Amino acid sequence: MRLHAKASAIGPLGATDIPRRRLLITAILCLGGLFLIALADASAASAAAGSLVLPDNRAWEQVSPVDKNLSDILPESSMASVNGDRVLFRSLGGFAGAVGQFGPNRNLYMTSRGPERWQTTSLMPTTGRLDFQNSWMGFSEDLSKGVLKWQDTLTFGAIDPAAPAGGMNLYLRDNEADSFTLLNGMLSQAGSQGGFVWASGDFSKIAIESKNPLTADAPCPGEEVNAFAACVYEWDNGNPRLASVLPNGEPVEGHAGAGRDTASFENALSNDGSRLFFSSPYEWMGGKEIYARENGSTTSLVSGSERTAPGGISGDLSYYQGAEAAHGDRVIFTTKNTLVDADTNSAMDLYLYDFTKPEGERLTLVSEDTNPESPDGAEIDGSFYGTGGILARSQDLRRIYFVTTNQLLTGEPEEPGAKLYLWDDTGSSPRLTYIATLASDFFSGDARDWLAPTIDDSGNVKPARSSANGRFVAFLSVEKLTDFDNEGQQEVYFYDAIAHSLECASCSADAYPEIGGISFDVAPAIVTHPLRNVSESGQVFFQTARGLVPRDSNGKWDVYEYQNGTLNLISRGTGDSDSKFMDASPSGDDVFFTTKDRLVGWDRDENTDAYDARVNGGLPEPPPGPPPCEGDSCQPPPVVPVDPSLASTAFNGPGDPSTRKRRARRCAKGMVRRHGKCRRKRGRQAPSHRKHTVSRSQG
Ligand SMILES: [Ca+2]
Ligand SMILES: [Ca+2]
Ligand SMILES: [Ca+2]
């Protein structure tokens, strides 16, 4: 069953051309109903199977191990590698060489795809159990490297016996070499606050924030002494050195980005390792100035004024909001200072600094107010923390989605609320476009969408995501932004910056259950990795307890894909427990999720497993025959009817007619049903009936 929902187009200044989306959906659902009735006919059985296959020719693959000591896989804090061949998952359980954990502690595992199956390895140190403060702070995009904060004590075990004892230390894990390297050096521990902030793409350079003096020249007295101040360090291929150094060479206190704890720090170190951004002197969630430490040797001021007109405002704080990922060539920040002549007001504005432009011409006022109506100057909506305002952005900072408290453009709708804009610099000159008016309230509205940072230290993640190129954005809103009346219920909205269309991805006229939670992820998350809910080709992945397609009425959470106006299930939609999104590869070809549903023949336990709904996927099934069992574990195997979509995706066969709900005529021996007709079997086809019998097993 596919829902077709046409995009609504929006003119540059908000002139709307929204089609009658709800009518369209209703019409399609009516057609869908007729279609379902048609399915009741035996002759349509094969068409039914076709309508239930996963989208994009995906097939389910079990990613977590078959034997995992009867432990559950948890959906939180996951991360998929760039090519989709690796994924991280958590479990309390001990397997693949790790010991079991308890309380809030979870082991971290990595699984890699092989030709026959996925292979799981433990990423945990073998020296001890987890302290509740131990945490994985970041991973490289290919999942070859990661940083672990670990308490080296007698209780929890020491990874490096020579490391500064008694507190939290930072380790670089090399997943290929299966090794740990101490990052913070021998002078002092990294400390319980701060820690890893960002890394170059290959993790050869790592930005560290610590209140402790990790180098001899660091001016920080230590976390026992000072409540707020920290120093910024850059670990460079084995050597930690101070990075918070002023242009005149003076070592200072500072925070990476706008501060590791509660403000933006994304891309505080560029992928090539050449630029590290820090704020100093630090004040609550911001700094007096923003600096770039370049190649570990010189420092440039980013937030300085380029104003030539007299007057203006100075002396206020500047808030780092992000940098261009590859080289740090562009930096965005918000401030009340009037840094260019075009800024005529004391309102908080969004600026972009571009290193590639001539000195004195590097600043652009992104949130320029060209609407002559008062008030003069729309304020960037800092929302709850006062430092936010960015909803999403591309990795190259050519597309920035930001929110203000009132209108910037002449002719745009003037209703009160939070105004969402796209600043698009992918063409010959920058272009500002009004997208929508959102609900500005933090608790009952949408203001979490433009929180800073994207992920905070508690693992809370703002519910707005974009593709890396910023063309596609998805966010949650309680507002009615298309013709569909969502009645104040949170929906997933999807914007395409090229088609210039805003669509509701989750709106469904006959959802059952109609009301239920909806989200992009399960907290907590790895703080440097917002999950890839939006793919480069414009797919949106999300999870909801609402049943958005007729097949899903279980009242449990399921994972969905929205693409080109079409909504499809990624998880089964018929299980009796929740399925949750873990992460996806940037292409969207791999969508990882957890479920108790046994979606392949290997999965014989009652526990939650991790699965990949993989484009052109599918791995060999177990050999025929009952699974081995011993002693008391030998119980009569319950027969569990496997979902029809299993037969049409994971297996290349028609399924066992005796377990199908629909009546389908049996084909003669040697023939199979394909496209509603009995046809000769293809070359290599496994007997189909075993696929539908799964047995309880302790192994
Ligand atoms: Ca201003
Ligand atoms: Ca469901
Ligand atoms: Ca299972």
Side-chain angles (χ1 to χ4, degrees), residues 65-385:
V66 171
D67 181 358
K68 53 186 180 301
N69 288 333
L70 300 179
S71 338
D72 290 317
I73 306 304
L74 301 161
E76 66 202 38
S77 304
S78 185
M79 177 172 175
S81 67
V82 148
N83 67 5
D85 282 351
R86 288 174 167 176
V87 68
L88 304 178
F89 63 79
R90 310 253 173 172
S91 177
L92 268 170
F95 47 89
V99 295
Q101 302 295 334
F102 49 85
N105 307 318
R106 281 94 169 83
N107 282 330
L108 185 70
Y109 297 91
M110 181 173 77
T111 177
S112 309
R113 192 178 193 266
E116 297 285 311
R117 58 197 307 176
W118 289 73
Q119 300 281 356
T120 298
T121 53
S122 162
L123 300 188
M124 306 307 296
T126 53
T127 51
R129 288 190 174 266
L130 284 167
D131 174 64
F132 73 97
Q133 289 193 99
N134 294 354
S135 60
W136 290 94
M137 306 194 78
F139 280 88
S140 60
E141 291 276 282
D142 63 358
L143 297 184
S144 66
K145 303 268 173 49
V147 171
L148 173 67
K149 187 151 83 170
W150 181 270
Q151 182 154 20
D152 283 306
T153 62
L154 286 176
T155 312
F156 302 104
I159 295 179
D160 181 347
M168 307 301 289
N169 288 311
L170 291 177
Y171 287 93
L172 174 68
R173 183 186 159 84
D174 185 324
N175 290 336
E176 257 105 58
D178 193 16
S179 65
F180 287 92
T181 306
L182 183 69
L183 287 175
N184 48 280
M186 304 310 294
L187 270 187
S188 46
Q189 53 187 267
S192 56
Q193 292 166 304
F196 169 82
V197 180
W198 211 265
S200 60
D202 61 1
F203 272 49
S204 65
K205 291 188 180 178
I206 295 171
I208 295 169
E209 187 176 301
S210 174
K211 295 179 176 183
N212 293 331
L214 306 185
T215 58
D217 57 345
C220 289
E223 67 180 341
E224 309 299 327
V225 180
N226 192 307
F228 290 109
C231 286
V232 184
Y233 304 90
E234 144 177 65
W235 182 87
D236 182 355
N237 288 292
N239 302 305
R241 63 167 170 253
L242 187 69
S244 46
V245 179
L246 292 182
N248 66 7
E250 179 192 349
V252 289
E253 294 171 347
H255 283 250
R260 172 66 181 72
D261 286 346
T262 50
S264 294
F265 52 87
E266 288 124 311
N267 301 108
L269 183 61
S270 59
N271 281 349
D272 65 3
S274 67
R275 287 199 179 99
L276 188 157
F277 298 97
F278 67 95
S279 304
S280 181
Y282 179 75
E283 294 191 29
W284 181 241
M285 291 178 290
K288 279 291 183 190
E289 304 289 359
I290 298 166
Y291 298 95
R293 185 69 174 165
E294 299 184 84
N295 299 309
S297 57
T298 59
T299 301
S300 311
L301 176 64
V302 167
S303 55
S305 176
E306 290 182 350
R307 193 178 178 85
T308 57
I313 296 163
S314 60
D316 221 277
L317 300 186
S318 293
Y319 301 94
Y320 172 90
Q321 300 277 4
E324 184 251 337
H327 314 291
D329 280 345
R330 296 177 148 211
V331 196
I332 48 172
F333 61 97
T334 46
T335 184
K336 290 183 175 178
N337 294 333
T338 52
L339 303 180
V340 296
D341 295 346
D343 190 348
T344 57
N345 56 58
S346 61
M348 182 90 83
D349 271 302
L350 176 61
Y351 282 89
L352 181 141
Y353 182 90
D354 189 339
F355 278 96
T356 65
K357 290 186 173 174
E359 280 193 52
E361 303 169 24
R362 290 182 172 176
L363 285 174
T364 301
L365 179 60
V366 172
S367 56
E368 184 170 5
D369 186 352
T370 58
N371 182 343
E373 305 288 313
S374 63
D376 178 27
E379 184 105 327
I380 291 290
D381 191 337
S383 137
F384 193 62
Y385 287 126

Side-chain angles (χ1 to χ4, degrees), residues 381 383 403 405 416-418 438-443 445-448 450 479:
D381 191 337
S383 137
V403 175
T405 51
L438 307 180
S440 37
D441 189 82
F442 184 80
F443 293 101
D446 306 332
R448 289 169 196 269
W450 52 94
E479 290 288 337

Side-chain angles (χ1 to χ4, degrees), residues 578-596:
D578 294 334
S579 299
K580 292 289 183 73
F581 179 75
M582 295 168 67
D583 199 10
S585 54
S587 68
D589 284 0
D590 294 84
V591 184
F592 298 95
F593 63 100
T594 58
T595 185
K596 272 198 162 101

